[in-house]
Coordinates of all heavy atoms in Angstrom, one line a residue:
M1 N -8.8 17.6 -17.7 CA -7.8 17.5 -16.6 C -7.7 16.0 -16.3 O -8.7 15.3 -16.1 CB -8.3 18.3 -15.4 CG -7.2 18.6 -14.3 SD -7.9 19.5 -12.9 CE -7.6 21.1 -13.5
D2 N -6.5 15.5 -16.2 CA -6.2 14.1 -15.9 C -6.5 13.9 -14.4 O -6.2 14.7 -13.5 CB -4.8 13.7 -16.2 CG -4.5 13.8 -17.7 OD1 -5.5 13.5 -18.5 OD2 -3.4 14.1 -18.1
S3 N -7.0 12.6 -14.1 CA -7.1 12.1 -12.8 C -5.7 11.9 -12.2 O -4.8 11.6 -12.9 CB -7.9 10.9 -12.7 OG -9.2 11.1 -13.2
L4 N -5.6 12.0 -10.9 CA -4.4 11.6 -10.2 C -4.1 10.2 -10.3 O -5.0 9.4 -10.4 CB -4.5 12.0 -8.7 CG -4.6 13.5 -8.4 CD1 -4.9 13.7 -6.9 CD2 -3.4 14.3 -8.8
S5 N -2.8 9.9 -10.4 CA -2.4 8.4 -10.4 C -2.5 7.8 -9.0 O -2.7 8.5 -8.0 CB -1.0 8.4 -10.8 OG 0.0 8.8 -9.9
K6 N -2.5 6.5 -9.0 CA -2.5 5.8 -7.7 C -1.5 6.3 -6.7 O -1.8 6.6 -5.6 CB -2.4 4.3 -8.0 CG -2.4 3.4 -6.8 CD -2.2 2.0 -7.2 CE -2.2 1.1 -5.9 NZ -0.9 0.5 -5.6
S7 N -0.3 6.4 -7.2 CA 0.8 6.8 -6.3 C 0.7 8.3 -5.8 O 0.9 8.6 -4.6 CB 2.2 6.6 -6.8 OG 2.3 7.4 -8.0
E8 N 0.1 9.1 -6.7 CA -0.2 10.5 -6.3 C -1.2 10.6 -5.2 O -1.2 11.4 -4.3 CB -0.6 11.4 -7.5 CG 0.6 11.6 -8.5 CD 0.1 12.3 -9.8 OE1 -1.0 11.9 -10.3 OE2 0.8 13.1 -10.3
I9 N -2.3 9.8 -5.4 CA -3.4 9.8 -4.5 C -2.9 9.3 -3.1 O -3.1 9.8 -2.1 CB -4.6 8.9 -4.9 CG1 -5.2 9.6 -6.2 CG2 -5.6 8.8 -3.9 CD1 -6.1 8.8 -7.0
E10 N -2.1 8.1 -3.1 CA -1.6 7.5 -1.9 C -0.7 8.5 -1.2 O -0.8 8.7 0.0 CB -0.9 6.3 -2.2 CG -1.8 5.1 -2.5 CD -1.0 3.9 -3.0 OE1 0.2 3.9 -3.4 OE2 -1.6 2.8 -2.9
S11 N 0.2 9.2 -1.9 CA 1.1 10.1 -1.3 C 0.4 11.3 -0.7 O 0.7 11.8 0.4 CB 2.1 10.6 -2.4 OG 2.9 9.6 -2.8
A12 N -0.6 11.9 -1.5 CA -1.3 13.0 -1.0 C -2.2 12.7 0.3 O -2.2 13.5 1.2 CB -2.2 13.6 -2.1
L13 N -2.8 11.6 0.3 CA -3.6 11.2 1.4 C -2.7 10.9 2.6 O -3.0 11.2 3.8 CB -4.5 9.9 1.1 CG -5.7 10.2 0.2 CD1 -6.4 8.9 -0.1 CD2 -6.6 11.2 0.8
A14 N -1.6 10.2 2.4 CA -0.7 9.9 3.5 C -0.1 11.2 4.1 O 0.1 11.3 5.3 CB 0.5 9.0 3.0
A15 N 0.2 12.2 3.3 CA 0.6 13.5 3.8 C -0.4 14.1 4.7 O -0.1 14.8 5.7 CB 1.1 14.4 2.6
R16 N -1.7 14.0 4.3 CA -2.8 14.7 5.0 C -3.2 13.8 6.2 O -3.8 14.4 7.1 CB -4.0 14.8 4.1 CG -3.8 15.7 2.9 CD -4.0 17.1 3.1 NE -5.3 17.3 3.7 CZ -5.7 18.5 4.1 NH1 -4.9 19.5 4.1 NH2 -6.9 18.6 4.6
L17 N -2.9 12.5 6.2 CA -3.3 11.6 7.2 C -2.0 10.9 7.8 O -1.9 9.7 7.5 CB -4.4 10.6 6.7 CG -5.6 11.2 6.1 CD1 -6.4 10.1 5.3 CD2 -6.5 11.8 7.2
P18 N -1.1 11.6 8.4 CA 0.2 11.0 8.6 C 0.3 9.8 9.6 O 1.3 9.1 9.5 CB 1.0 12.2 9.2 CG -0.1 13.2 9.8 CD -1.3 12.9 8.9
S19 N -0.6 9.6 10.4 CA -0.6 8.4 11.3 C -1.1 7.1 10.6 O -1.2 6.1 11.3 CB -1.3 8.7 12.6 OG -2.7 9.0 12.4
Y20 N -1.5 7.3 9.3 CA -2.1 6.1 8.6 C -1.2 5.7 7.4 O -0.7 6.6 6.8 CB -3.5 6.4 8.1 CG -4.5 6.4 9.3 CD1 -4.7 7.6 10.0 CD2 -5.2 5.3 9.5 CE1 -5.5 7.6 11.1 CE2 -6.1 5.2 10.6 CZ -6.3 6.4 11.4 OH -7.2 6.4 12.4
S21 N -1.1 4.5 7.2 CA -0.6 3.9 5.9 C -1.7 3.8 5.0 O -2.8 3.3 5.3 CB 0.0 2.6 6.2 OG 0.3 1.9 5.0
V22 N -1.5 4.3 3.8 CA -2.6 4.4 2.8 C -2.3 3.5 1.6 O -1.2 3.6 1.0 CB -2.9 5.9 2.3 CG1 -4.0 5.9 1.2 CG2 -3.2 6.8 3.4
T23 N -3.2 2.6 1.3 CA -3.1 1.7 0.1 C -4.4 1.9 -0.8 O -5.5 1.7 -0.3 CB -3.0 0.3 0.5 OG1 -1.9 0.2 1.4 CG2 -2.7 -0.6 -0.7
C24 N -4.1 2.3 -2.0 CA -5.2 2.5 -2.9 C -5.3 1.5 -4.0 O -4.3 0.9 -4.4 CB -5.2 3.9 -3.5 SG -5.4 5.3 -2.4
T25 N -6.5 1.3 -4.5 CA -6.7 0.3 -5.6 C -7.6 1.1 -6.6 O -8.6 1.7 -6.2 CB -7.4 -0.9 -5.2 OG1 -6.7 -1.6 -4.2 CG2 -7.6 -1.8 -6.4
L26 N -7.1 1.2 -7.9 CA -7.8 1.8 -8.9 C -8.7 0.8 -9.7 O -8.2 -0.3 -9.9 CB -6.9 2.5 -9.9 CG -6.0 3.6 -9.3 CD1 -5.2 4.2 -10.4 CD2 -6.8 4.7 -8.6
H27 N -9.9 1.1 -9.9 CA -10.8 0.1 -10.6 C -11.1 0.5 -12.0 O -11.1 1.8 -12.3 CB -12.1 -0.1 -9.8 CG -11.8 -0.4 -8.4 ND1 -11.5 -1.7 -8.0 CD2 -11.8 0.3 -7.2 CE1 -11.3 -1.8 -6.7 NE2 -11.5 -0.6 -6.2
A28 N -11.4 -0.4 -12.9 CA -11.6 -0.1 -14.3 C -12.9 0.8 -14.5 O -12.8 1.5 -15.5 CB -11.9 -1.4 -15.0
D29 N -13.8 0.9 -13.6 CA -15.0 1.7 -13.7 C -14.6 3.2 -13.3 O -15.6 4.0 -13.3 CB -16.1 1.2 -12.9 CG -15.9 1.2 -11.5 OD1 -14.8 1.6 -11.0 OD2 -16.9 0.8 -10.7
G30 N -13.4 3.5 -13.0 CA -13.0 4.9 -12.7 C -13.1 5.2 -11.2 O -13.0 6.4 -10.8
T31 N -13.4 4.2 -10.4 CA -13.5 4.4 -9.0 C -12.2 4.0 -8.3 O -11.3 3.4 -8.9 CB -14.7 3.7 -8.3 OG1 -14.5 2.3 -8.5 CG2 -16.0 4.1 -8.9
L32 N -12.1 4.4 -7.0 CA -10.9 4.2 -6.2 C -11.4 3.6 -4.9 O -12.4 3.9 -4.4 CB -10.3 5.6 -6.0 CG -9.3 5.7 -4.9 CD1 -7.9 5.0 -5.3 CD2 -9.0 7.1 -4.5
S33 N -10.6 2.7 -4.4 CA -10.8 2.1 -3.1 C -9.5 2.5 -2.3 O -8.4 2.5 -2.8 CB -11.0 0.6 -3.0 OG -12.2 0.2 -3.7
A34 N -9.7 2.9 -1.0 CA -8.5 3.2 -0.2 C -8.6 2.4 1.2 O -9.7 2.4 1.7 CB -8.5 4.7 0.1
I35 N -7.5 1.9 1.6 CA -7.5 1.2 2.9 C -6.5 2.0 3.7 O -5.4 2.2 3.3 CB -7.1 -0.3 2.8 CG1 -8.1 -1.0 2.0 CG2 -6.8 -0.8 4.2 CD1 -7.8 -2.5 1.7
L36 N -7.0 2.5 4.9 CA -6.1 3.3 5.7 C -5.8 2.4 7.0 O -6.8 2.0 7.7 CB -6.8 4.6 6.1 CG -7.0 5.6 5.0 CD1 -8.1 5.3 4.2 CD2 -7.0 7.0 5.6
S37 N -4.6 2.1 7.2 CA -4.2 1.3 8.3 C -3.5 2.2 9.4 O -2.5 2.8 9.0 CB -3.3 0.2 7.9 OG -3.9 -0.6 7.0
G38 N -4.1 2.3 10.5 CA -3.5 3.2 11.5 C -2.8 2.4 12.6 O -2.6 1.3 12.6
P39 N -2.6 3.1 13.7 CA -1.9 2.5 14.9 C -2.8 1.4 15.4 O -4.0 1.5 15.4 CB -1.9 3.7 15.9 CG -2.2 4.9 15.1 CD -2.9 4.5 13.9
E40 N -2.1 0.3 15.8 CA -2.7 -0.9 16.4 C -3.7 -1.5 15.4 O -3.3 -1.8 14.3 CB -3.3 -0.6 17.7 CG -2.2 -0.1 18.7 CD -2.8 0.3 20.1 OE1 -3.9 -0.1 20.5 OE2 -2.2 1.2 20.7
T41 N -4.9 -1.6 15.7 CA -5.9 -2.2 14.8 C -6.9 -1.3 14.3 O -8.0 -1.6 13.9 CB -6.7 -3.3 15.7 OG1 -7.4 -2.7 16.7 CG2 -5.8 -4.4 16.2
D42 N -6.5 -0.1 14.1 CA -7.3 1.0 13.6 C -7.2 1.0 12.1 O -6.3 1.5 11.5 CB -6.8 2.4 14.1 CG -7.9 3.5 13.9 OD1 -9.0 3.2 13.6 OD2 -7.5 4.7 14.1
H43 N -8.3 0.4 11.4 CA -8.3 0.3 10.0 C -9.6 0.9 9.4 O -10.6 0.6 10.0 CB -8.1 -1.1 9.5 CG -6.8 -1.7 10.0 ND1 -5.6 -1.4 9.5 CD2 -6.6 -2.7 10.9 CE1 -4.7 -2.1 10.1 NE2 -5.3 -2.9 11.0
F44 N -9.5 1.5 8.3 CA -10.7 1.9 7.6 C -10.6 1.6 6.1 O -9.5 1.7 5.5 CB -10.9 3.5 7.7 CG -11.2 3.9 9.1 CD1 -10.2 4.2 10.0 CD2 -12.6 4.0 9.5 CE1 -10.5 4.5 11.3 CE2 -12.9 4.3 10.8 CZ -11.8 4.6 11.7
A45 N -11.7 1.2 5.5 CA -11.8 1.0 4.0 C -12.8 1.9 3.5 O -13.9 2.0 4.0 CB -12.1 -0.5 3.8
I46 N -12.5 2.6 2.4 CA -13.3 3.4 1.7 C -13.4 2.9 0.2 O -12.4 2.8 -0.4 CB -12.9 4.9 1.8 CG1 -12.7 5.4 3.2 CG2 -13.9 5.8 1.0 CD1 -11.3 5.3 3.7
T47 N -14.6 2.7 -0.2 CA -14.7 2.2 -1.6 C -15.7 3.1 -2.4 O -16.4 3.9 -1.9 CB -15.3 0.7 -1.6 OG1 -16.6 0.8 -1.0 CG2 -14.4 -0.2 -0.9
G48 N -15.6 3.0 -3.7 CA -16.5 3.7 -4.6 C -16.2 5.1 -4.7 O -17.1 5.9 -5.2
I49 N -15.0 5.6 -4.4 CA -14.6 7.0 -4.6 C -14.5 7.2 -6.2 O -13.7 6.6 -6.8 CB -13.2 7.3 -4.0 CG1 -13.4 7.0 -2.5 CG2 -12.8 8.7 -4.2 CD1 -12.0 6.9 -1.7
V50 N -15.2 8.2 -6.7 CA -15.2 8.5 -8.1 C -14.0 9.4 -8.3 O -14.0 10.6 -8.0 CB -16.5 9.2 -8.5 CG1 -16.5 9.6 -10.0 CG2 -17.7 8.3 -8.2
R51 N -12.9 8.9 -9.0 CA -11.7 9.6 -9.2 C -11.9 10.9 -10.0 O -11.2 11.9 -9.8 CB -10.7 8.8 -10.0 CG -10.1 7.7 -9.0 CD -9.2 6.8 -9.8 NE -8.1 7.5 -10.4 CZ -7.6 7.2 -11.6 NH1 -8.0 6.2 -12.3 NH2 -6.6 7.9 -12.1
A52 N -12.9 10.9 -10.9 CA -13.1 12.1 -11.8 C -13.5 13.3 -10.9 O -13.4 14.5 -11.4 CB -14.2 11.8 -12.8
H53 N -14.0 13.1 -9.7 CA -14.4 14.2 -8.9 C -13.2 14.9 -8.1 O -13.4 15.9 -7.5 CB -15.4 13.7 -7.8 CG -16.7 13.3 -8.4 ND1 -17.7 12.7 -7.7 CD2 -17.1 13.3 -9.7 CE1 -18.7 12.4 -8.5 NE2 -18.4 12.7 -9.7
Y54 N -12.0 14.3 -8.3 CA -10.9 14.8 -7.4 C -9.7 15.1 -8.4 O -9.0 14.2 -8.8 CB -10.5 13.8 -6.4 CG -11.7 13.6 -5.4 CD1 -12.6 12.5 -5.7 CD2 -11.9 14.4 -4.4 CE1 -13.6 12.2 -4.8 CE2 -13.0 14.2 -3.5 CZ -13.9 13.1 -3.7 OH -14.9 12.9 -2.9
H55 N -9.5 16.3 -8.7 CA -8.3 16.8 -9.5 C -7.5 17.8 -8.7 O -8.1 18.8 -8.2 CB -8.8 17.4 -10.8 CG -9.5 16.4 -11.7 ND1 -8.9 15.5 -12.4 CD2 -10.9 16.3 -12.0 CE1 -9.8 14.8 -13.1 NE2 -11.0 15.3 -12.8
G56 N -6.2 17.6 -8.6 CA -5.3 18.6 -8.0 C -5.3 18.6 -6.4 O -6.1 17.8 -5.8
A57 N -4.5 19.5 -5.9 CA -4.2 19.5 -4.4 C -5.5 19.9 -3.7 O -5.7 19.3 -2.6 CB -3.1 20.5 -4.2
E58 N -6.2 20.8 -4.1 CA -7.4 21.3 -3.4 C -8.4 20.1 -3.3 O -9.1 19.9 -2.2 CB -8.1 22.5 -4.1 CG -9.3 23.0 -3.4 CD -9.8 24.3 -4.0 OE1 -9.0 25.2 -4.4 OE2 -11.0 24.3 -4.3
A59 N -8.6 19.4 -4.4 CA -9.5 18.3 -4.4 C -9.1 17.1 -3.5 O -9.9 16.5 -2.8 CB -9.8 17.8 -5.8
I60 N -7.7 16.9 -3.5 CA -7.3 15.7 -2.7 C -7.4 16.2 -1.2 O -7.7 15.3 -0.4 CB -5.8 15.3 -3.0 CG1 -5.6 13.9 -2.6 CG2 -4.8 16.3 -2.4 CD1 -6.3 12.9 -3.4
A61 N -7.3 17.4 -0.9 CA -7.5 17.9 0.5 C -9.0 17.7 0.9 O -9.3 17.3 2.0 CB -7.1 19.3 0.6
R62 N -9.8 18.0 -0.1 CA -11.3 17.8 0.2 C -11.6 16.3 0.4 O -12.3 15.9 1.3 CB -12.1 18.4 -1.0 CG -13.6 18.3 -0.8 CD -14.4 19.0 -1.9 NE -14.6 18.0 -3.0 CZ -14.1 18.0 -4.2 NH1 -13.3 19.1 -4.6 NH2 -14.3 17.1 -5.1
L63 N -10.9 15.5 -0.4 CA -11.1 14.0 -0.2 C -10.6 13.6 1.1 O -11.3 12.8 1.8 CB -10.4 13.2 -1.4 CG -10.3 11.7 -1.2 CD1 -11.8 11.1 -1.2 CD2 -9.5 11.1 -2.3
A64 N -9.4 14.0 1.6 CA -8.9 13.7 2.9 C -9.9 14.2 3.9 O -10.1 13.4 4.9 CB -7.5 14.3 3.1
N65 N -10.4 15.4 3.9 CA -11.4 15.8 4.8 C -12.6 15.0 4.9 O -13.2 14.7 6.0 CB -11.7 17.3 4.6 CG -10.6 18.2 4.9 OD1 -9.7 17.9 5.7 ND2 -10.5 19.4 4.3
E66 N -13.1 14.6 3.7 CA -14.3 13.8 3.7 C -14.0 12.4 4.4 O -14.8 11.8 5.1 CB -14.7 13.5 2.2 CG -15.3 14.8 1.6 CD -15.5 14.7 0.1 OE1 -15.3 13.6 -0.5 OE2 -15.9 15.7 -0.5
I67 N -12.8 11.8 4.1 CA -12.4 10.6 4.7 C -12.3 10.7 6.2 O -12.8 9.9 7.0 CB -11.1 10.0 4.1 CG1 -11.3 9.6 2.7 CG2 -10.5 8.9 5.0 CD1 -10.1 9.2 1.9
L68 N -11.7 11.8 6.7 CA -11.6 12.1 8.1 C -13.0 12.2 8.8 O -13.2 11.6 9.8 CB -10.8 13.3 8.4 CG -9.3 13.2 8.2 CD1 -8.6 14.5 8.3 CD2 -8.7 12.3 9.3
R69 N -13.9 12.8 8.1 CA -15.3 13.0 8.6 C -15.9 11.7 8.8 O -16.6 11.4 9.7 CB -16.0 14.0 7.7 CG -17.4 14.3 8.2 CD -18.1 15.4 7.4 NE -18.0 15.4 6.0 CZ -17.3 16.2 5.3 NH1 -16.7 17.3 5.8 NH2 -17.2 16.1 3.9
E70 N -15.8 10.8 7.7 CA -16.3 9.4 7.8 C -15.7 8.6 8.9 O -16.4 7.8 9.6 CB -16.2 8.7 6.4 CG -17.0 9.3 5.3 CD -18.5 9.3 5.6 OE1 -19.0 8.3 6.1 OE2 -19.2 10.2 5.3
M71 N -14.4 8.8 9.1 CA -13.8 8.0 10.2 C -14.3 8.5 11.6 O -14.6 7.6 12.4 CB -12.2 8.3 10.1 CG -11.6 7.7 8.9 SD -9.9 8.2 8.6 CE -9.0 7.5 9.9
V72 N -14.5 9.8 11.7 CA -15.0 10.3 13.0 C -16.5 9.7 13.2 O -16.8 9.3 14.3 CB -15.0 11.9 13.0 CG1 -15.9 12.4 14.2 CG2 -13.6 12.3 13.1
L73 N -17.3 9.9 12.1 CA -18.7 9.4 12.3 C -18.7 7.9 12.6 O -19.5 7.4 13.4 CB -19.4 9.7 11.0 CG -19.7 11.1 10.7 CD1 -20.4 11.3 9.3 CD2 -20.7 11.7 11.8
S74 N -17.8 7.1 11.9 CA -17.7 5.7 12.2 C -17.4 5.4 13.7 O -17.9 4.6 14.3 CB -16.7 5.0 11.3 OG -16.5 3.7 11.6
R75 N -16.4 6.1 14.1 CA -15.9 5.9 15.6 C -17.1 6.3 16.5 O -17.3 5.7 17.5 CB -14.7 6.8 15.9 CG -13.5 6.2 15.3 CD -12.3 7.0 15.7 NE -11.1 6.5 15.1 CZ -10.2 7.3 14.4 NH1 -10.5 8.6 14.2 NH2 -9.2 6.7 14.0
Q76 N -17.8 7.4 16.2 CA -18.8 7.8 17.1 C -20.0 6.7 17.1 O -20.6 6.5 18.1 CB -19.5 9.2 16.6 CG -18.6 10.3 16.9 CD -19.1 11.6 16.3 OE1 -20.0 11.6 15.4 NE2 -18.6 12.7 16.7
G77 N -20.2 6.1 15.9 CA -21.2 5.0 15.8 C -20.8 3.8 16.6 O -21.6 3.2 17.3
I78 N -19.5 3.5 16.6 CA -19.0 2.4 17.3 C -19.1 2.7 18.8 O -19.6 1.8 19.6 CB -17.5 2.1 17.0 CG1 -17.5 1.5 15.5 CG2 -16.9 1.1 17.9 CD1 -16.1 1.4 14.9
R79 N -18.7 3.8 19.3 CA -18.8 4.2 20.7 C -20.2 4.2 21.2 O -20.5 3.7 22.2 CB -18.1 5.5 21.0 CG -16.6 5.5 21.0 CD -16.0 6.8 21.5 NE -14.7 7.0 20.9 CZ -14.4 8.0 20.1 NH1 -15.3 8.9 19.9 NH2 -13.3 8.1 19.6
S80 N -21.1 4.8 20.3 CA -22.5 4.8 20.7 C -23.1 3.4 20.8 O -23.8 3.2 21.8 CB -23.3 5.6 19.6 OG -24.6 5.6 19.9
G81 N -22.7 2.6 19.9 CA -23.2 1.2 20.0 C -22.7 0.4 21.2 O -23.4 -0.3 21.9
R82 N -21.5 0.7 21.5 CA -20.9 0.0 22.7 C -21.5 0.6 24.0 O -21.8 -0.1 24.9 CB -19.4 0.3 22.8 CG -18.6 -0.5 21.9 CD -17.1 -0.2 22.0 NE -16.4 -1.0 20.9 CZ -15.2 -0.6 20.5 NH1 -14.6 0.4 21.0 NH2 -14.6 -1.3 19.6
S83 N -21.8 1.9 24.1 CA -22.4 2.5 25.3 C -23.8 2.0 25.4 O -24.2 1.8 26.5 CB -22.2 4.0 25.3 OG -23.0 4.6 24.3
Q84 N -24.5 1.9 24.3 CA -25.9 1.4 24.4 C -25.9 0.0 24.8 O -26.7 -0.4 25.7 CB -26.6 1.5 23.0 CG -26.9 3.0 22.7 CD -27.5 3.1 21.3 OE1 -27.6 2.1 20.5 NE2 -27.8 4.3 20.9
A85 N -24.9 -0.8 24.3 CA -24.9 -2.2 24.7 C -24.5 -2.4 26.2 O -25.1 -3.2 26.9 CB -23.9 -3.0 23.9
S86 N -23.6 -1.5 26.7 CA -23.2 -1.7 28.1 C -24.2 -1.1 29.0 O -24.3 -1.5 30.2 CB -21.9 -1.0 28.3 OG -21.9 0.4 28.1
S87 N -25.1 -0.2 28.6 CA -26.1 0.4 29.4 C -27.5 -0.3 29.4 O -28.4 0.0 30.1 CB -26.2 1.9 29.2 OG -26.7 2.1 27.9
A88 N -27.5 -1.2 28.4 CA -28.8 -2.0 28.3 C -29.0 -2.9 29.5 O -28.1 -3.4 30.0 CB -28.8 -2.8 26.9
P89 N -30.3 -2.9 29.9 CA -30.6 -3.8 31.1 C -30.3 -5.3 30.8 O -30.6 -5.7 29.7 CB -32.0 -3.5 31.4 CG -32.6 -2.8 30.2 CD -31.5 -2.3 29.4
S90 N -29.8 -5.9 31.7 CA -29.5 -7.4 31.5 C -30.8 -8.1 31.8 O -31.4 -7.9 32.8 CB -28.4 -7.8 32.5 OG -28.2 -9.2 32.4
H91 N -31.0 -9.1 30.9 CA -32.2 -10.0 31.1 C -31.9 -11.3 31.7 O -32.7 -12.2 31.7 CB -33.0 -10.1 29.8 CG -33.6 -8.8 29.4 ND1 -32.9 -7.8 28.8 CD2 -34.9 -8.3 29.5 CE1 -33.7 -6.8 28.5 NE2 -34.9 -7.1 28.9
G92 N -30.6 -11.4 32.1 CA -30.1 -12.7 32.7 C -30.7 -12.9 34.1 O -31.2 -12.0 34.7
K93 N -30.5 -14.1 34.6 CA -31.0 -14.4 36.0 C -29.9 -14.4 36.9 O -28.8 -14.6 36.7 CB -31.6 -15.8 35.9 CG -32.9 -15.8 35.1 CD -33.6 -17.1 35.2 CE -34.8 -17.0 34.3 NZ -35.7 -18.0 34.5

């Protein structure tokens, strides 16, 4: 089964992630990088995606779900880091 082309991957991900602009780069080693640019300064970069693991509509849906899960985890980590920093005791005078 052939791997999806760059434009097929971008179109499929953009359809599943409509508030994001998706730009993909295919690499000679068979991997894919995707940059998702969202509203305002909301950007995510995903690298090292093995294209051979994703064939057809079902697989691209799985890839989009995996990307969404990573985005959520990333946001939770950022919020957690901010709340820990803001709740940390100040050692200033």
Side-chain angles (χ1 to χ4, degrees):
M1 197 181 269
D2 292 329
S3 295
L4 295 173
S5 72
K6 177 182 180 249
S7 62
E8 288 172 322
I9 294 167
E10 287 174 339
S11 295
L13 288 175
R16 301 271 306 168
L17 305 165
S19 61
Y20 287 84
S21 168
V22 179
T23 304
C24 293
T25 303
L26 303 180
H27 304 283
D29 66 357
T31 62
L32 163 78
S33 297
I35 297 178
L36 291 82
S37 302
E40 300 175 27
T41 60
D42 194 15
H43 302 287
F44 291 90
I46 302 96
T47 61
I49 300 166
V50 180
R51 288 177 55 217
H53 295 172
Y54 301 96
H55 297 284
E58 185 177 310
I60 204 71
R62 188 176 81 243
L63 175 60
N65 287 335
E66 290 170 5
I67 290 171
L68 285 170
R69 186 171 39 249
E70 291 300 320
M71 291 167 69
V72 168
L73 291 173
S74 174
R75 285 187 184 123
Q76 288 174 344
I78 290 169
R79 281 191 212 119
S80 175
R82 286 181 185 158
S83 66
Q84 288 176 358
S86 65
S87 65
S90 174
H91 291 77
K93 295 186 180 190

